[in-house]
Amino acid sequence: MKRTILLLFAALFGVLTAAAQDLIVKTDATKIEAKVIEITTEAVRYKRFSNPDGPTYVLPVKDIHYIQYANGEKEYYTKTIPATPLTPATPVQPAPAETPAAEPAPQAPSGRYVLKQYEIGELYDQNGVRGVICQLSDDGMHGLVVSLDEIYLHWSEFRKPDLRVVGADSRTDGEENMAKVAQYIAANNLSWADFPAFEWCRNKGEGWYLPAIDEMLTIGHNYNGGTRVQNNRQARNKFNDALKDAGGKRMDRLVYYFTSTEMDEKNAYTTHMGIEPPYVIEIPKYNKFLVRAVHKF
């Protein structure tokens, strides 16, 4: 009888333990038993349920099908969009012989102008901005390009006892962090040379900036073909070949890249391009790590 009670208690404890976990289901059907810590418009941060004191992982929202929380509630992140029926194009009437018509710009059947759609890993060279496309909007017409070159630099030059918080705390927008660094420099009579990683990006010209942590995580995600669940050498080679063919340098999978996102007075967030976690670690700002600049288009 006593043994039966113990078995029932163990089974009940197991049920309660399972119920206390969140379940992340990815778009590729992969399931992750987790404890969700934070959700933003761009990413979900979580710890593995089996290792609650371990590293914090970051997963782009676009890779998530749904999250089932410990209370049973489900939150979906992907939507099924019905296909739009195709409408046959109307034949264009020829212009009168005596009035030759100018060649029209390409148009879609709906009458809208057809704009170029880009691909990840494609060289972008427009309006003085030259780099490889590393992030795209859903319509494939806008996104981010990453610089062709990279360099080892300090995030900032301040050491003990002069460590300081600058306020560059955006996880999603490095441009916002860049503006906060500029404000901090002006308010404290400093120079851009006190922030070498930011200065290097700024010197590339208007619009170039040091990416935030979520932007850099997305770059790493796309660099690996849209997933870090499996090794995709072909996707990485395409990306690296585009960099090399344009006279740039291949991305480094084994070294962490600085981001503009500040953790505290001592550390800033970094990430790498590999497939093995942890994807985010904190590095002292006065250490030298790789830097790449990005530009929106």
Side-chain angles (χ1 to χ4, degrees):
M1 178 67 178
K2 184 177 181 180
R3 183 179 179 182
T4 301
I5 293 174
L6 288 174
L7 289 173
L8 289 173
F9 178 78
L12 177 61
F13 179 78
V15 170
L16 292 175
T17 300
Q21 71 187 22
D22 302 321
L23 181 67
I24 302 174
V25 180
K26 299 173 59 178
T27 54
D28 62 3
T30 303
K31 296 181 179 179
I32 303 173
E33 295 179 349
K35 183 62 180 177
V36 175
I37 298 174
E38 180 184 6
I39 299 177
T40 68
T41 56
E42 300 290 334
V44 170
R45 288 177 169 77
Y46 67 92
K47 290 184 180 290
R48 292 192 181 278
F49 185 74
S50 60
N51 188 18
D53 297 323
T56 298
Y57 297 90
V58 181
L59 186 64
V61 166
K62 65 180 182 179
D63 287 351
I64 301 174
H65 178 33
Y66 68 87
I67 297 176
Q68 181 173 309
Y69 297 103
N71 62 2
E73 180 182 351
K74 288 185 179 181
E75 184 172 6
Y76 285 86
Y77 291 84
T78 56
K79 298 178 181 179
T80 303
I81 303 175
T84 303
L86 298 177
T87 303
T90 303
V92 177
Q93 297 297 325
E98 65 274 14
T99 310
E103 184 177 348
Q107 289 187 329
S110 62
R112 296 176 298 175
Y113 287 100
V114 178
L115 300 178
K116 176 175 174 56
Q117 290 183 308
Y118 295 94
E119 295 181 356
I120 297 294
E122 179 181 350
L123 177 67
Y124 182 90
D125 192 358
Q126 301 286 337
N127 303 317
V129 177
R130 194 164 188 262
V132 171
I133 296 172
C134 57
Q135 183 176 335
L136 281 173
S137 58
D138 291 340
D139 60 11
M141 297 178 184
H142 306 282
L144 278 183
V145 298
V146 66
S147 61
L148 299 178
D149 54 345
E150 61 184 31
I151 188 172
Y152 280 91
L153 288 172
H154 301 151
W155 197 95
S156 69
E157 298 289 4
F158 303 107
R159 297 173 180 266
K160 289 182 178 180
D162 296 323
L163 296 176
R164 58 192 67 195
V165 173
V166 176
D169 56 1
S170 175
R171 294 175 179 268
T172 59
D173 191 350
E175 223 172 11
E176 180 181 328
N177 289 334
M178 204 78 167
K180 289 181 178 178
V181 171
Q183 293 168 5
Y184 189 85
I185 289 172
N188 293 276
N189 196 27
L190 300 171
S191 73
W192 284 99
D194 293 313
F195 301 90
F198 292 88
E199 182 184 37
W200 184 78
C201 297
R202 179 175 181 266
N203 287 345
K204 287 187 169 296
E206 185 178 356
W208 287 97
Y209 64 91
L210 185 62
I213 182 60
D214 284 358
E215 289 175 309
M216 204 65 189
L217 285 168
T218 302
I219 293 172
H221 181 80
N222 292 335
Y223 174 77
N224 286 282
T227 178
R228 298 205 199 192
V229 175
Q230 58 187 8
N231 191 2
N232 192 336
R233 182 178 297 177
Q234 184 178 2
R236 292 197 303 271
N237 286 343
K238 176 184 176 183
F239 204 104
N240 283 330
D241 287 346
L243 287 168
K244 186 177 179 181
D245 292 345
K249 187 173 182 180
R250 298 160 65 92
M251 299 285 280
D252 196 317
R253 289 192 298 131
L254 303 178
V255 179
Y256 281 83
Y257 285 82
F258 260 133
T259 76
S260 60
T261 306
E262 184 178 37
M263 178 187 177
D264 53 29
E265 69 276 4
K266 179 181 178 182
N267 300 306
Y269 290 109
T270 67
T271 186
H272 60 81
M273 298 295 109
I275 64 172
E276 295 295 332
Y279 301 124
V280 179
I281 65 170
E282 305 85 33
I283 295 293
K285 302 170 189 175
Y286 48 76
N287 286 353
K288 280 189 176 181
F289 276 85
L290 282 176
V291 174
R292 288 261 181 176
V294 294
H295 195 293
K296 296 177 181 177
F297 70 92

